[in-house]
């Protein structure tokens, strides 16, 4: 993370930088708003020319489940904040990047929970006590 005495313009040294891991329609809106605030936006996705890539300052196409690819692009760009905007992503890479000091929002734990639908349901109903539809988990194919 860089400390700043002033805010620099996007694409210049010292500018605030946001890196989107996942560049769908939501990511496109985030990139547009970031740019309105003078923040440099970098879009990363598994699909070339995903929606946010049309408005970002730079774009990368990588396998989002490949931890080495995710870590490489984050380290190369050295953003102020990393925003995972996709659930199908290497949470292992996010955890390692957080341990290196990168700011990941939502954090790796939240992304990991969101990827695991069973754990997400258990967390929502059990830990948070949120009302959910009734559910049971099958132990085997019979029921």
């Amino acid at each position: 993370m860089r400390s700043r005495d002033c805010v620099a313009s996007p694409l210049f040294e010292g500018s605030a930088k946001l890196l989107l891991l996942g560049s769908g329609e939501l990511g496109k809106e985030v990139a547009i708003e970031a740019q309105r605030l003078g923040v440099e936006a970098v879009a990363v996705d598994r699909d070339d020319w995903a929606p946010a890539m049309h408005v970002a300052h730079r774009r990368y196409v990588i396998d989002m489940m490949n931890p080495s690819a995710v870590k490489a692009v984050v380290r190369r760009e050295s953003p102020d904040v990393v925003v995972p905007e996709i659930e199908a992503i290497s949470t292992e890479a996010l955890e390692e990047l957080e341990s290196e000091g990168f700011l990941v929002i939502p954090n790796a734990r939240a992304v990991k929970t969101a990827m695991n639908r069973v754990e997400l349901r258990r967390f929502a109903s059990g830990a948070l006590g949120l009302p959910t539809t009734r559910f049971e988990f099958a132990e085997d194919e019979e029921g």
Side-chain angles (χ1 to χ4, degrees):
M1 301 294 285
R2 302 180 284 271
S3 65
R4 291 186 187 72
D5 294 325
C6 63
V7 177
S9 297
L11 302 177
F12 287 89
E13 188 171 335
S15 66
K17 188 185 303 184
L18 167 90
L19 187 136
L20 292 164
L21 290 173
S23 300
E25 289 296 335
L26 177 60
K28 181 178 181 180
E29 295 303 318
V30 170
I32 290 168
E33 290 305 315
Q35 290 176 3
R36 285 183 178 145
L37 295 170
V39 175
E40 188 174 325
V42 180
V44 182
D45 202 277
R46 63 183 175 218
D47 298 319
D48 200 7
W49 290 112
M53 292 179 173
H54 291 266
V55 297
H57 291 97
R58 275 182 308 293
R59 66 185 171 84
Y60 295 89
V61 178
I62 65 168
D63 175 359
M64 305 293 276
M65 294 301 291
N66 179 329
S68 296
V70 172
K71 290 184 290 188
V73 74
V74 171
R75 289 174 181 148
R76 176 179 178 168
E77 286 292 333
S78 189
D80 293 285
V81 65
V82 176
V83 178
E85 193 264 318
I86 188 170
E87 293 170 359
I89 190 168
S90 170
T91 56
E92 169 191 317
L94 296 178
E95 290 169 335
E96 187 172 328
L97 291 164
E98 283 178 334
S99 74
E100 293 174 16
F102 287 98
L103 178 60
V104 179
I105 302 174
N107 66 25
R109 182 173 173 236
V111 174
K112 194 175 209 174
T113 300
M115 282 181 66
N116 184 331
R117 299 293 185 209
V118 171
E119 197 57 40
L120 181 59
R121 184 172 278 271
R122 284 188 177 128
F123 179 72
S125 65
L128 298 179
L130 297 174
T132 64
T133 56
R134 286 182 15 168
F135 66 93
E136 293 182 31
F137 296 108
E139 299 296 324
D140 56 40
E141 291 181 24
E142 305 301 317

